[in-house]
Amino acid sequence: MYAELIKNLTTNDRKALADMGVPNARVSEWRTGLRLPTRPQMLALAEVKGVNYIELETELIAIETEKEAERKPEMRALLDRLKEHHKTLMM
């Protein structure tokens, strides 16, 4: 959902985000993958795009966790164990 939202931001969306205090430069950083939205920015994005902010935040947390796991082996191991545990619960 997040990637699709960022990809489909219109000029009006960017103006609305700017009106909510999200600089256009920050939106550009989202698009390039340099940064993810902060919590207040995520709320603004959810408002502008009319999506459920909890679902958006959940996805952003997953993205942050994956990025962290790319840099830290102990986080990768933890994340893998959690995913395996989740699979077991879902059976």
Side-chain angles (χ1 to χ4, degrees):
M1 170 183 17
Y2 172 71
E4 201 64 27
L5 290 177
I6 297 306
K7 179 177 141 188
N8 294 322
L9 282 175
T10 66
T11 301
N12 287 338
D13 293 337
R14 290 174 80 115
K15 286 179 183 175
L17 286 167
D19 290 344
M20 294 178 170
V22 181
N24 199 38
R26 182 53 51 103
V27 175
S28 294
E29 291 173 339
W30 300 345
R31 292 186 112 162
T32 62
L34 184 61
R35 293 182 189 263
L36 291 173
T38 63
R39 213 169 245 123
Q41 292 168 350
M42 180 273 308
L43 290 170
L45 178 61
E47 177 72 21
V48 166
K49 295 307 282 182
V51 298
N52 182 302
Y53 69 91
I54 293 174
E55 289 178 18
L56 181 56
E57 182 170 21
T58 301
E59 184 171 336
L60 289 172
I61 289 169
I63 292 168
E64 289 172 342
T65 304
E66 281 295 335
K67 285 186 175 203
E68 184 83 7
E70 288 172 8
R71 294 189 308 267
K72 297 181 179 175
E74 61 277 2
M75 181 58 85
R76 170 55 56 205
L78 174 61
L79 186 57
D80 291 344
R81 282 194 311 273
L82 289 171
K83 284 180 180 179
E84 189 59 38
H85 180 70
H86 180 73
K87 273 197 265 182
T88 303
L89 290 176
M90 298 308 289
M91 294 181 155

